[in-house]
Amino acid sequence: MVSIKDVASHAGVSVATVSRVLNAKGYVSEDTRKKVEQAIDELNYKPNEVARSLFKKQSKTIGLIVPDITNPYFPELARAVEDTAAKLGYTVILCNSDGKIQKEQHYMDVLMQKYVDGIILSSDTLSDEQIKALHIPVVSIDREISKDIPTIVVENKKGAKLATQFLQQKGRKRIAHIRGPVHIVNANERCEGYQEVVGNEQWFNESYIVNGHFEMDAAIEATIELLQRHPEIDGIFAANDTMAIGAIKAVHKLGKRTPEDIAIIGFDGISLSKATIPELTTIEQPIYTMGEKAAAMLIEFIEEKPIAETFYRLDVQLVERESS
Amino acid sequence: MVSIKDVASHAGVSVATVSRVLNAKGYVSEDTRKKVEQAIDELNYKPNEVARSLFKKQSKTIGLIVPDITNPYFPELARAVEDTAAKLGYTVILCNSDGKIQKEQHYMDVLMQKYVDGIILSSDTLSDEQIKALHIPVVSIDREISKDIPTIVVENKKGAKLATQFLQQKGRKRIAHIRGPVHIVNANERCEGYQEVVGNEQWFNESYIVNGHFEMDAAIEATIELLQRHPEIDGIFAANDTMAIGAIKAVHKLGKRTPEDIAIIGFDGISLSKATIPELTTIEQPIYTMGEKAAAMLIEFIEEKPIAETFYRLDVQLVERESS
DNA sequence: TTGAAAGCGTTACCAG
DNA sequence: CTGGTAACGCTTTCAA
């Protein structure tokens, strides 16, 4: 690899001068600047980012820690983060934590050792203090960890209410809910939203809520059980699209039809929701926008630019398709 | 951040000694080793990887360049790569090229500047020479670029034949093919496999092949057109699962049934294929294994370990589900 | 306007 | 067995 020294000697100047033109910083006469630029071109010189990082103590790299890139929600998020990071001159290191705290901790250590400039994090387990102890910018996405940490989430409760009310408007009388894991804030908020809408109906009781663990197979089983217990159910709100698809499959398995017998609505708006038959009605999150905003905000922190907002609760949108 | 100097003074030894115990290299007496280890513990010291990289000219980081992480084939691949990289002490930088050569080139430059130790690449446009000019290990995945570059691909033609023959075994008489983009090797090989099976049938002609560009929407249109031209078609082999799902939707739209009227089979085995109704019969690629092998092989190259094979054409497997 | 040199945190060589 | 020190490639301060 050609280094700054090579450029310097090729141009007949010192490395300091080359550095100055590289960074457009400090005085350089027009003449020597031209000479240097020519040398750079001729040698096809590219500055060594590692050496730069060492000196500057930052790396133009950010970490992205997600539970599992294989979970259909995250590819779009990752894409958004990477797109905007790239646009702003940053590179992104991808980490899959499986939601396990040891993995998260491990990745944080590794990322710190590599001098990453900041981290975008989707974690339910990491604490406020652990994150602050890093002493680098962190933004939390799709999870609320603390009011002190810049955060991007969506209107979970509102979306859940929207979903449930929509089912009511469609004339559904017995609406069940497939919830996500207990202790997960998103799951709880969506469940609360559902309960706010149907909690006071006289037919309602807790047995209309089952746990599908945000997974398709678990949701299939949960739905089958649910429908056997309550054959009168004519609408289901699932707390994410993956489970909603599980519900569709379960309904199908039991020989009933979606949406004729049982209307189903999901949450997230992953691309999968357009690929099923019937296509899934869902509460769509602005996933790409979330990733975009997270990356942009993180980089504003890194570059110490003025920051308008540090907490975004983005709006969601009902997308009506065929399943309800 | 605490540095090796802090550890050294805290332990009352020189930095050289600390470095020796850190790397378990060179002589260190049991006694001083203990002292140093204690100092490391007490200060919670973690070596600075950037400084290491600068000296060693390698970064324990690999680049992963894919067209688009949002394409359902790649998350699983990325996960496999990241898992095995992490296991071996490496970190992965994710890059989305959109298959555009300028983006690919740009990322290669950036990655080189960051001293990545190697790159896993899924590209149809980059040439042999461009890759060799990097002078770092590269493995090509899901694409054959050159015999000189370590490569991991699958039995495309064999899989395509398997798919087409399977449809025949199911008693289908007029089998059409939705192919991927021209110029894409994978698409061509799969198309060839199809033609080898039905090319000699007397009914066959080129109009039974349409191009779905590996995309769902394009495949829907292509299928509708196809079925209007050839209402006698009773089986469709789509060159990837995304298009196969498009085909299912098109068939549905035309008021026909899958598989009763038209049997459909896909290719890839993405997780989506289990989520549709009906579930998709497909030729499954060992995606996770491919990513695993790619990462493991790349790292063997990086660490100059002996390498058994440098070209893998992995087998595919027919997974029969409901769509045929 | 330019250059010399220190320093970023490591590793590895050479003495002792 | 241990320590001093040059070197990795760059940026920035200080002098000239």
Side-chain angles (χ1 to χ4, degrees):
Chain A
M1 276 250 111
V2 17
S3 85
I4 197 171
K5 273 189 198 165
D6 304 317
V7 177
S9 58
H10 192 266
V13 299
S14 74
V15 296
T17 303
V18 178
S19 175
R20 276 187 210 104
V21 347
L22 241 36
N23 300 288
K25 209 180 233 175
Y27 293 99
V28 181
S29 78
E30 190 64 6
D31 248 28
T32 56
R33 197 170 56 79
K34 287 231 174 79
K35 268 195 303 188
V36 171
E37 277 167 355
Q38 197 186 344
I40 289 175
D41 267 14
E42 285 177 21
L43 300 178
N44 189 28
Y45 166 73
K46 301 265 166 41
N48 179 328
E49 282 300 332
V50 174
R52 268 189 175 166
S53 296
L54 182 58
F55 187 91
K56 302 262 217 95
K57 293 181 185 305
Q58 43 148 296
S59 57
K60 290 276 181 181
T61 301
I62 65 177
L64 173 64
I65 304 183
V66 297
D68 183 3
I69 189 70
T70 261
N71 171 334
Y73 180 83
F74 292 108
E76 191 174 345
L77 194 74
R79 174 75 211 234
V81 168
E82 204 272 313
D83 278 356
T84 95
K87 211 173 293 167
L88 298 171
Y90 288 72
T91 240
V92 2
I93 295 182
L94 175 69
C95 310
N96 296 96
S97 70
D98 287 321
K100 297 198 181 130
I101 194 158
Q102 320 97 284
K103 284 202 184 187
E104 291 171 343
Q105 270 295 1
H106 170 73
Y107 278 120
M108 304 216 113
D109 286 347
V110 171
L111 293 175
M112 289 307 290
Q113 291 184 54
K114 300 214 171 178
Y115 271 167
V116 299
D117 300 334
I119 296 178
I120 293 175
L121 181 63
S122 187
S123 164
D124 277 302
T125 51
L126 247 26
S127 77
D128 205 7
E129 298 89 43
Q130 288 175 92
I131 292 171
K132 282 189 197 142
L134 259 34
H135 299 295
I136 61 169
V138 171
V139 353
S140 171
I141 194 162
D142 192 40
R143 311 279 199 268
E144 281 177 74
I145 295 176
S146 144
K147 284 289 173 200
D148 295 343
I149 295 171
T151 298
I152 296 180
V153 288
V154 296
E155 296 277 7
N156 283 308
K157 198 192 273 193
K158 179 178 160 190
K161 288 166 78 171
L162 221 58
T164 316
Q165 285 161 349
F166 175 77
L167 256 19
Q168 288 180 329
Q169 281 159 27
K170 288 283 168 179
R172 304 301 161 144
K173 301 296 181 200
R174 291 288 187 282
I175 300 170
H177 178 51
I178 309 178
R179 59 162 297 146
V182 202
H183 303 309
I184 302 272
V185 178
N186 284 346
N188 292 337
E189 288 181 353
R190 292 173 198 175
C191 190
E192 282 164 26
Y194 159 79
Q195 292 194 62
E196 278 190 18
V197 176
V198 298
N200 290 324
E201 308 259 333
Q202 57 198 31
W203 56 264
F204 176 79
N205 66 59
E206 296 265 329
S207 69
Y208 282 89
I209 302 176
V210 293
N211 193 329
H213 299 99
F214 279 160
E215 281 166 14
M216 190 171 86
D217 289 334
I220 294 180
E221 283 190 39
T223 307
I224 290 177
E225 198 192 299
L226 181 73
L227 293 177
Q228 280 164 350
R229 188 162 59 218
H230 291 298
E232 75 279 15
I233 286 170
D234 55 4
I236 296 178
F237 162 46
N240 75 2
D241 288 344
T242 308
M243 295 195 300
I245 290 167
I248 295 183
K249 292 177 97 73
V251 166
H252 185 73
K253 245 183 208 168
L254 294 176
K256 301 196 174 184
R257 290 159 309 161
T258 310
E260 294 82 351
D261 300 321
I262 300 181
I264 294 178
I265 184 166
F267 202 113
D268 279 352
I270 59 179
S271 54
L272 199 61
S273 61
K274 281 192 285 288
T276 52
I277 298 178
E279 291 184 4
L280 191 61
T281 296
T282 190
I283 303 295
E284 189 174 80
Q285 295 192 44
I287 305 181
Y288 193 94
T289 308
M290 291 172 75
E292 217 174 2
K293 255 200 164 59
M297 182 158 79
L298 182 70
I299 291 171
E300 281 172 357
F301 269 105
I302 290 169
E303 300 182 346
E304 302 184 317
K305 301 237 170 89
I307 289 154
E309 282 290 338
T310 167
F311 186 95
Y312 289 90
R313 184 180 296 283
L314 300 182
D315 208 1
V316 293
Q317 196 183 350
L318 191 142
V319 178
E320 182 171 358
R321 288 197 276 249
E322 304 160 355
S323 69
S324 54
Chain B
M1 276 252 111
V2 17
S3 84
I4 197 172
K5 274 188 196 164
D6 303 317
V7 177
S9 58
H10 193 267
V13 299
S14 73
V15 296
T17 303
V18 178
S19 177
R20 274 186 215 107
V21 348
L22 241 37
N23 300 288
K25 209 181 233 174
Y27 293 100
V28 180
S29 77
E30 191 63 6
D31 248 29
T32 56
R33 198 168 55 79
K34 287 232 173 79
K35 270 195 302 188
V36 171
E37 277 166 354
Q38 197 186 345
I40 289 175
D41 267 14
E42 284 177 21
L43 300 177
N44 188 27
Y45 165 74
K46 301 265 169 37
N48 179 328
E49 282 299 333
V50 175
R52 272 190 173 164
S53 296
L54 181 58
F55 187 90
K56 303 263 218 92
K57 292 180 185 307
Q58 42 149 291
S59 57
K60 290 276 181 181
T61 300
I62 64 177
L64 173 63
I65 304 182
V66 298
D68 183 3
I69 190 70
T70 262
N71 170 334
Y73 180 83
F74 291 108
E76 192 175 346
L77 196 73
R79 175 76 211 233
V81 167
E82 204 271 314
D83 278 356
T84 97
K87 211 173 293 166
L88 298 171
Y90 288 72
T91 239
V92 2
I93 294 181
L94 175 68
C95 309
N96 295 98
S97 70
D98 287 321
K100 296 200 181 127
I101 194 158
Q102 320 97 282
K103 284 202 185 188
E104 291 171 342
Q105 270 295 1
H106 171 74
Y107 279 120
M108 304 216 114
D109 286 348
V110 172
L111 293 175
M112 290 306 291
Q113 291 183 58
K114 300 216 172 179
Y115 270 167
V116 299
D117 301 333
I119 296 177
I120 292 175
L121 182 64
S122 187
S123 164
D124 277 303
T125 50
L126 247 26
S127 77
D128 205 7
E129 297 89 44
Q130 288 175 93
I131 292 171
K132 282 189 196 142
L134 258 34
H135 300 295
I136 61 168
V138 171
V139 353
S140 171
I141 194 162
D142 193 39
R143 311 279 199 269
E144 281 177 74
I145 295 175
S146 144
K147 284 289 173 200
D148 295 344
I149 296 171
T151 298
I152 296 180
V153 289
V154 296
E155 296 277 7
N156 282 309
K157 198 193 272 191
K158 179 179 160 190
K161 287 166 78 172
L162 222 59
T164 316
Q165 284 160 350
F166 175 77
L167 257 19
Q168 287 181 329
Q169 282 159 27
K170 289 281 168 182
R172 305 301 162 145
K173 301 297 181 201
R174 292 286 187 284
I175 300 171
H177 179 51
I178 308 177
R179 58 161 298 146
V182 202
H183 304 308
I184 303 272
V185 178
N186 284 346
N188 292 337
E189 287 180 355
R190 292 173 197 174
C191 188
E192 282 164 27
Y194 160 78
Q195 292 195 63
E196 278 190 20
V197 176
V198 299
N200 290 323
E201 308 260 332
Q202 56 197 31
W203 56 264
F204 177 79
N205 67 58
E206 297 264 329
S207 69
Y208 281 91
I209 301 176
V210 292
N211 192 330
H213 303 280
F214 278 159
E215 281 166 14
M216 191 171 86
D217 288 334
I220 294 179
E221 282 190 38
T223 307
I224 290 177
E225 197 192 301
L226 180 74
L227 292 177
Q228 280 164 350
R229 189 161 60 219
H230 291 298
E232 74 280 14
I233 286 170
D234 55 4
I236 296 179
F237 162 46
N240 75 3
D241 288 344
T242 308
M243 296 195 300
I245 290 167
I248 295 183
K249 291 177 98 72
V251 166
H252 185 73
K253 245 183 206 167
L254 294 176
K256 301 197 175 184
R257 291 159 308 161
T258 309
E260 294 82 350
D261 301 321
I262 300 181
I264 294 177
I265 183 167
F267 202 114
D268 279 354
I270 60 179
S271 54
L272 200 60
S273 60
K274 282 192 285 288
T276 52
I277 298 179
E279 292 185 4
L280 191 60
T281 297
T282 190
I283 302 295
E284 190 174 79
Q285 296 192 43
I287 305 181
Y288 194 92
T289 308
M290 291 172 75
E292 219 174 1
K293 255 200 163 59
M297 182 157 81
L298 182 70
I299 290 172
E300 282 172 355
F301 269 104
I302 290 169
E303 300 183 345
E304 301 184 318
K305 301 237 170 89
I307 289 153
E309 283 289 338
T310 165
F311 186 96
Y312 288 90
R313 186 181 293 284
L314 300 183
D315 208 1
V316 293
Q317 195 183 351
L318 192 143
V319 178
E320 181 171 358
R321 288 198 274 249
E322 303 161 355
S323 70
S324 55

